[in-house]
Amino acid sequence: MVKLDRSVIYQFEQDSHKRRKVKALLTMLHDMGYETVIEGIENHAAMQTLADIGCQSVQGYYLSRPLSVAQLDKRSMDIQKN
């Protein structure tokens, strides 16, 4: 798995050249057999843009603040109940 820093996507929503670079990087990593996670997702537009260009996983404050293991376990159990 390859985790990409938030700097990779900094202001990419407004910059088509940056979006093409991110898409090319993701395509290369996927073609090499790597799963990818991009961190720093702070809004729905960024998450949707990444989904549209093939990103497999994201993390960031838009989805959740950092959690302890206990908090994550509880949250996972709560989600499974619903």
Side-chain angles (χ1 to χ4, degrees):
M1 179 174 291
V2 175
K3 186 174 182 179
L4 300 170
D5 185 75
R6 66 185 302 129
S7 62
V8 172
I9 61 162
Y10 181 72
Q11 295 183 339
F12 84 120
E13 297 160 72
Q14 299 84 18
D15 186 335
S16 62
H17 184 67
K18 283 186 178 186
R19 278 195 307 278
R20 286 192 303 273
K21 285 184 192 179
V22 172
K23 183 175 183 173
L25 178 58
L26 289 172
T27 299
M28 180 187 71
L29 289 167
H30 294 167
D31 287 351
M32 294 172 65
Y34 290 103
E35 292 182 37
T36 56
V37 176
I38 295 183
E39 63 179 17
I41 305 308
E42 295 184 357
N43 58 59
H44 180 76
M47 189 170 72
Q48 186 61 54
T49 300
L50 286 169
D52 291 346
I53 63 174
C55 184
Q56 296 168 319
S57 300
V58 297
Q59 70 181 76
Y61 286 141
Y62 176 70
L63 301 169
S64 174
R65 297 279 182 190
L67 301 172
S68 68
V69 172
Q71 291 170 314
L72 182 59
D73 285 345
K74 181 183 180 326
R75 187 171 183 172
S76 295
M77 285 186 268
D78 290 345
I79 290 170
Q80 291 172 0
K81 289 178 187 174
N82 293 326

